[in-house]
Amino acid sequence: MSAATVGARARRARPGAGVAIGLVLVAVPLLSALLGPFLVGPLGLVAPTGTDALLPPGSGFVLGTDALGRDVLGLALTGGTTVVGLTLGALACAYAVGMPLGLVLAATGRRGLEGLALRALDVLLVLPSLLVLLVLAATGRRGIGWLVLAVALVQLPSVVRLVRSAAAAPTQRPALEAMTMSGEPWWRVHLLESGRAVLGPVLVDAGTRAVLVLSLLASANFLGVGLAPDSTDWAVVIEQNTSSLFLAPASLLVPASLLVALCAGINLLVDRRLDRDGGAL
Amino acid sequence: MLAAPRRGTRAAGARVLVALAQFAAVSVIVFAMTSLLPGDAAEIVLGRDATPEQVATLRTQLGLDRPLPERFADWVGGLLHGDLGRSLVTGQPVAAEVGGRLGQTALLTGLALIMLVPLALGAGVLAGRRPGSPVDRALTGVLVAAQAVPEFALGLVLVAVFSLQLGWLPATAAGGAFTGAEVLVLPVVVLVTNHLGRLARQIRVGVLDTDRAEHVVHLRRLGLPERVVLWRHVLPGAALPSIQQLARIVDSMLGGVVVVEALFALPGVGSGFVDAVSARDLPVVQGYALLYAATTIGVNLVADLVSARLLPHREVLG
C-alpha cells in the first residue's frame, strides 16, 4: 500500500470515534458549569449549616458531604463556573492586548523596533507560568483580578508572536498593498483587514491555549495560591479535601473527574480540528 | 558555506550572551515583584494582627528602611556571591534551604525523563510507521487526551485506583521519611503521562516524514535490512528535531513538579517553594524563583546549542 492510500484511508476514518468521545467529555463538565448554579437551589443541593462533615453517599445527600459539611453534588454543580469563567477571561485579556500588539508589530516597517519589542516579550517566556502566580501570592497579591491578569500576561508573548507572523505572511501582502494604494486609512488596512485575516489561526490557537490556561488556573487553585478558600471552584474543593481521600473519596474524585474530562475533551476536539486542517492543506 | 565553523561559534557565543541577559532581566523582575509592593513588605509578611514593634523589627531585618536602589545593589551583590539572604522562618541561609531540596527533585525529574524518552520513542515509532492504522489512532487519541489533564487531577485519579482501591502503592510520602522507591512510582507516572503525548507526537511526525524521505526510500531499495534502516537512518533524523521539544518538556515538568510534590507530600524544591509562599518567606521565595528561572534559561540554552550543532542547516540560533 502506498503512503498516499494509507493517508487517504486515515482521513476517511478520522471523524467519528474521536470527535464523539471529545464532545461527550466536554459536554458533561461544560453543562454542569453553565447550568449547574441554576439547578442547585431548586434541587435542594445546598447542605444547611451545621451538617455533619464526611457523610457517606446516600445519607440524604446523593454523593455525601465533604470535609466542610457541604453537599458534594452541589459543589460539583457550582464549581465549574469559575473554571470556565476565569479561563475565558484570561484568554480574552491575552488576545485583547496581544492581537493589536501583534498587528502593529507586523505593520511597522522598522525591524529594529520589532525585534526589540519581541525580545522584551521573550523575557516573559522564560518565566515559568506557575512561578509568576506563586511569587504574586507570596506578596499578598491574589484573587480573581490578579489571577486573570497574571495568566493572561504569561500567554502574551506567544500570542503576539502568532498574530505577528500570521499577519506578516507573504500571502497577505498584495491585498494590503492594493488597499494602501487606493488610499484606505492605515488603521483600516493594518488593523481591520489584517485582523480579519489572522482570525482563523487565532481561533485554532485559542483552542490549544484554553487547555493550557485551564490547567494552569486549576493548578494554582489546587496549590492554594489562586482563588479565596471560600470559593467552590473544583480545584479549590479538591485542595480542601485532600486529607479526606480515604474518608470521602467522592468529594475529590467528582471534581477531579470533571476537570480531567473537560481538559481531555477540549484537547481531543482541537486535535481533530488541527488534523482536518492539516489534511486539507 | 565556507566560514561555517566560525560563524557557528560566534552564534553560540551570542546565544550564551542572550541567556545571561535573560537571567539579568529575570532577576530584576523577581526583585521588583517582591520589593515594589502596594504597601509594606513587612506588614504583608506578618499579616494584619502584627504589632508595630514587630513590623519595625522586620523592616530593619529586611532592610526596608533603606532606599530602594541601595537595596537592589545589595541584593545583586549578594546574588553574585551566591548569598541570597536568610529565611525569615528558619533563619537558615536561603542557598542552603533551597539546595538541600535539590536532590529529591533531581531524582524525581531524572527518573521521569529516563522513562519518558524510550517510551516516547517507542510510541512515536509505532504510530509513525503505520499512519492511520488502528494502533496509530488509539495511541494518538490516548496521548492527546492524557497530555491535557492537570497533574493534580490525574494524580488523584491514580491514587484512588492504586492506593485506595487496589492498595498497591502508598498515597503520599507523608507520615514517615522517604521509605522506599514505591513512594516515587505514582509521581513519576503522573509526570511521564502528562508529557509523553507531546514528545511522542513530535517523534511520530518525524518518523512519518523521514520514512518517506528520498534517502531512506533509496536505502530500502538497495536492500538494507529494515532494522538498520530504522535504527541508523529513520530514528536519528526523526528524533533530533525533538530536542527542542524535550527542552520545553523539562520546562513544563518543573511546573508539574511543584504540583506533584505538593500532592504526594514529597520534600523537594517544588513543595519547598509552595511552603515558602504560604509562609510568605520572601527571601526564600526569591531564591526558588531565581532557581526556576535559571533552570528554564539553562535548559533552553543547552537545547539551542545542541540542536545548532547537530542540525547546522536549520538556523536555530538566528
Side-chain angles (χ1 to χ4, degrees), chain B residues 34-74:
Chain B
T34 45
S35 305
L36 304 174
L37 298 174
D40 191 304
E43 279 170 22
I44 287 173
V45 169
L46 291 171
R48 272 190 208 139
D49 22 86
T51 63
E53 291 80 43
Q54 284 173 318
V55 173
T57 318
L58 187 63
R59 279 183 65 88
T60 330
Q61 196 187 335
L62 289 172
L64 295 179
D65 40 0
R66 292 176 302 141
L68 194 68
E70 198 185 312
R71 273 158 55 202
F72 181 63
D74 251 23

Coordinates of all heavy atoms in Angstrom, one line a residue, chain B residues 34-74:
Chain B
T34 N 9.0 41.3 44.3 CA 9.0 41.0 45.7 C 9.3 42.3 46.5 O 9.3 42.2 47.7 CB 10.0 39.9 46.1 OG1 11.2 40.2 45.3 CG2 9.5 38.5 45.7
S35 N 9.7 43.4 45.8 CA 10.0 44.6 46.6 C 9.1 45.7 46.4 O 8.8 46.5 47.3 CB 11.4 45.0 46.2 OG 12.3 44.0 46.4
L36 N 8.6 45.9 45.1 CA 7.7 47.0 44.9 C 6.3 46.5 45.2 O 5.6 46.1 44.3 CB 7.8 47.4 43.4 CG 9.1 47.8 42.9 CD1 9.1 48.1 41.4 CD2 9.6 49.1 43.6
L37 N 5.9 46.6 46.5 CA 4.6 46.1 46.9 C 3.7 47.2 47.2 O 4.1 48.3 47.6 CB 4.8 45.2 48.1 CG 5.6 44.0 48.0 CD1 5.8 43.4 49.3 CD2 5.0 43.1 47.0
P38 N 2.4 47.0 46.9 CA 1.4 48.0 47.3 C 1.3 47.9 48.8 O 0.7 47.1 49.4 CB 0.1 47.5 46.7 CG 0.3 46.1 46.4 CD 1.8 45.8 46.3
G39 N 2.0 48.8 49.5 CA 2.0 48.7 51.0 C 3.4 48.3 51.4 O 4.4 48.5 50.7
D40 N 3.5 47.7 52.5 CA 4.8 47.4 53.1 C 5.1 45.9 53.2 O 4.2 45.1 53.7 CB 4.8 48.0 54.6 CG 6.2 48.0 55.2 OD1 6.8 46.9 55.2 OD2 6.6 49.1 55.6
A41 N 6.2 45.5 52.7 CA 6.5 44.0 52.7 C 6.4 43.4 54.1 O 5.9 42.3 54.3 CB 7.9 43.8 52.1
A42 N 6.9 44.2 55.1 CA 6.9 43.7 56.5 C 5.5 43.4 56.9 O 5.2 42.4 57.6 CB 7.6 44.6 57.4
E43 N 4.6 44.3 56.6 CA 3.2 44.1 57.0 C 2.6 43.0 56.3 O 1.8 42.2 56.9 CB 2.4 45.4 56.7 CG 2.6 46.5 57.8 CD 2.0 47.8 57.4 OE1 1.1 47.8 56.5 OE2 2.4 48.8 57.9
I44 N 2.9 42.8 55.0 CA 2.4 41.7 54.2 C 2.9 40.4 54.8 O 2.1 39.4 55.0 CB 2.7 41.8 52.7 CG1 1.9 43.0 52.2 CG2 2.5 40.5 52.0 CD1 2.2 43.3 50.8
V45 N 4.1 40.3 55.2 CA 4.7 39.1 55.7 C 4.1 38.7 57.0 O 3.7 37.6 57.3 CB 6.3 39.2 55.8 CG1 6.8 38.1 56.6 CG2 6.9 39.3 54.4
L46 N 3.9 39.7 57.9 CA 3.5 39.4 59.2 C 2.0 39.3 59.4 O 1.5 38.7 60.3 CB 4.0 40.5 60.2 CG 5.5 40.6 60.4 CD1 5.9 41.8 61.2 CD2 5.9 39.3 61.2
G47 N 1.2 39.8 58.4 CA -0.2 39.7 58.5 C -0.8 40.9 59.2 O -0.1 41.8 59.7
R48 N -2.2 40.8 59.4 CA -2.9 42.0 59.9 C -2.7 42.2 61.4 O -2.6 43.4 61.9 CB -4.4 41.9 59.7 CG -4.7 42.4 58.3 CD -6.2 42.5 58.1 NE -6.5 42.4 56.7 CZ -7.5 41.7 56.2 NH1 -8.3 41.0 57.0 NH2 -7.7 41.6 54.9
D49 N -2.5 41.2 62.2 CA -2.5 41.4 63.6 C -1.1 41.5 64.2 O -0.9 41.1 65.4 CB -3.3 40.3 64.4 CG -3.5 39.1 63.6 OD1 -2.6 38.2 63.6 OD2 -4.5 39.0 62.9
A50 N -0.2 42.0 63.4 CA 1.2 42.2 63.9 C 1.2 43.5 64.7 O 0.5 44.5 64.4 CB 2.2 42.2 62.8
T51 N 2.1 43.6 65.8 CA 2.2 44.8 66.5 C 3.2 45.7 65.7 O 4.0 45.2 64.9 CB 2.8 44.6 67.9 OG1 4.1 44.0 67.7 CG2 2.0 43.6 68.7
P52 N 3.1 47.1 65.9 CA 4.0 48.0 65.2 C 5.5 47.7 65.5 O 6.3 47.8 64.6 CB 3.6 49.4 65.8 CG 2.3 49.2 66.4 CD 2.1 47.8 66.7
E53 N 5.8 47.2 66.7 CA 7.2 46.8 67.0 C 7.7 45.7 66.2 O 8.8 45.7 65.6 CB 7.3 46.4 68.5 CG 7.1 47.5 69.6 CD 5.7 47.8 69.8 OE1 4.9 46.8 69.9 OE2 5.2 49.0 69.8
Q54 N 6.8 44.7 66.0 CA 7.2 43.5 65.2 C 7.5 44.0 63.8 O 8.5 43.6 63.2 CB 6.1 42.5 65.2 CG 6.0 41.7 66.4 CD 4.7 40.8 66.4 OE1 3.7 41.2 66.0 NE2 4.9 39.5 66.8
V55 N 6.6 44.8 63.3 CA 6.7 45.3 61.9 C 8.1 46.1 61.8 O 8.8 45.9 60.8 CB 5.6 46.2 61.5 CG1 5.8 46.9 60.1 CG2 4.3 45.4 61.5
A56 N 8.4 47.0 62.8 CA 9.6 47.8 62.7 C 10.8 46.9 62.7 O 11.8 47.1 62.0 CB 9.6 48.7 63.9
T57 N 10.8 45.8 63.6 CA 12.0 44.9 63.6 C 12.2 44.2 62.3 O 13.3 44.1 61.8 CB 11.7 43.8 64.7 OG1 11.1 44.4 65.8 CG2 13.0 43.1 65.1
L58 N 11.1 43.7 61.7 CA 11.2 43.0 60.4 C 11.7 44.0 59.3 O 12.4 43.6 58.5 CB 9.9 42.3 60.1 CG 9.9 41.5 58.8 CD1 10.9 40.3 59.1 CD2 8.6 40.9 58.4
R59 N 11.2 45.2 59.4 CA 11.6 46.2 58.4 C 13.1 46.4 58.4 O 13.8 46.4 57.4 CB 11.0 47.6 58.7 CG 9.5 47.7 58.2 CD 9.0 49.1 58.5 NE 9.7 50.1 57.7 CZ 9.4 50.4 56.4 NH1 8.4 49.9 55.9 NH2 10.1 51.3 55.8
T60 N 13.7 46.4 59.6 CA 15.1 46.6 59.7 C 15.8 45.3 59.2 O 16.8 45.3 58.5 CB 15.6 46.8 61.2 OG1 14.5 47.5 61.9 CG2 16.8 47.6 61.3
Q61 N 15.2 44.1 59.6 CA 15.8 42.9 59.2 C 15.8 42.7 57.7 O 16.8 42.2 57.1 CB 15.0 41.7 59.9 CG 15.7 40.4 59.9 CD 14.7 39.3 60.4 OE1 13.8 39.6 61.1 NE2 15.0 38.1 60.0
L62 N 14.7 43.1 57.0 CA 14.7 43.0 55.6 C 15.4 44.2 54.9 O 15.5 44.2 53.7 CB 13.2 43.0 55.1 CG 12.4 41.8 55.4 CD1 10.9 42.0 55.1 CD2 12.9 40.6 54.6
G63 N 15.8 45.2 55.7 CA 16.5 46.3 55.1 C 15.5 47.3 54.4 O 15.9 48.1 53.5
L64 N 14.3 47.2 54.8 CA 13.3 48.1 54.1 C 13.4 49.6 54.5 O 12.8 50.4 53.8 CB 11.8 47.6 54.5 CG 11.5 46.2 54.0 CD1 10.1 45.8 54.4 CD2 11.6 46.1 52.5
D65 N 14.2 49.9 55.5 CA 14.3 51.3 55.9 C 15.3 52.0 55.0 O 15.5 53.2 55.1 CB 14.7 51.4 57.4 CG 15.7 50.3 57.8 OD1 16.1 49.5 57.0 OD2 16.1 50.3 59.0
R66 N 16.0 51.2 54.1 CA 17.0 51.9 53.3 C 16.4 52.1 51.9 O 15.4 51.5 51.5 CB 18.2 51.0 53.1 CG 19.0 50.8 54.5 CD 20.1 49.9 54.3 NE 19.7 48.5 53.9 CZ 20.3 47.7 53.1 NH1 21.4 48.1 52.5 NH2 19.8 46.6 52.8
P67 N 17.0 53.1 51.1 CA 16.4 53.4 49.8 C 16.5 52.2 48.8 O 17.4 51.4 48.9 CB 17.2 54.6 49.3 CG 18.4 54.6 50.2 CD 18.1 54.0 51.5
L68 N 15.5 52.2 47.9 CA 15.4 51.0 47.0 C 16.6 50.7 46.2 O 17.0 49.6 46.1 CB 14.1 51.3 46.1 CG 13.7 50.0 45.3 CD1 13.1 49.0 46.3 CD2 12.6 50.4 44.3
P69 N 17.2 51.8 45.5 CA 18.4 51.5 44.7 C 19.5 50.8 45.5 O 20.2 49.9 45.1 CB 18.9 52.9 44.3 CG 17.7 53.7 44.4 CD 16.9 53.2 45.5
E70 N 19.7 51.3 46.8 CA 20.7 50.7 47.7 C 20.4 49.2 47.9 O 21.3 48.3 47.9 CB 20.7 51.5 49.0 CG 22.0 51.3 49.8 CD 21.9 52.0 51.1 OE1 21.5 53.2 51.1 OE2 22.2 51.4 52.1
R71 N 19.1 48.9 48.2 CA 18.7 47.5 48.4 C 18.9 46.6 47.2 O 19.4 45.5 47.4 CB 17.2 47.5 48.8 CG 17.0 47.7 50.3 CD 15.6 48.2 50.6 NE 14.5 47.3 50.0 CZ 13.3 47.7 49.8 NH1 13.0 49.0 50.0 NH2 12.4 46.9 49.3
F72 N 18.6 47.2 46.1 CA 18.8 46.4 44.8 C 20.3 46.1 44.6 O 20.7 45.0 44.3 CB 18.2 47.2 43.6 CG 18.3 46.4 42.3 CD1 17.7 45.2 42.2 CD2 19.1 46.9 41.3 CE1 17.8 44.5 41.0 CE2 19.3 46.2 40.1 CZ 18.6 45.0 40.0
A73 N 21.2 47.1 44.8 CA 22.6 46.9 44.6 C 23.1 45.9 45.6 O 23.9 45.0 45.2 CB 23.3 48.3 44.9
D74 N 22.6 45.9 46.8 CA 23.0 44.9 47.8 C 22.6 43.5 47.4 O 23.3 42.6 47.5 CB 22.2 45.2 49.1 CG 23.2 45.7 50.2 OD1 24.2 46.3 49.8 OD2 22.9 45.6 51.4

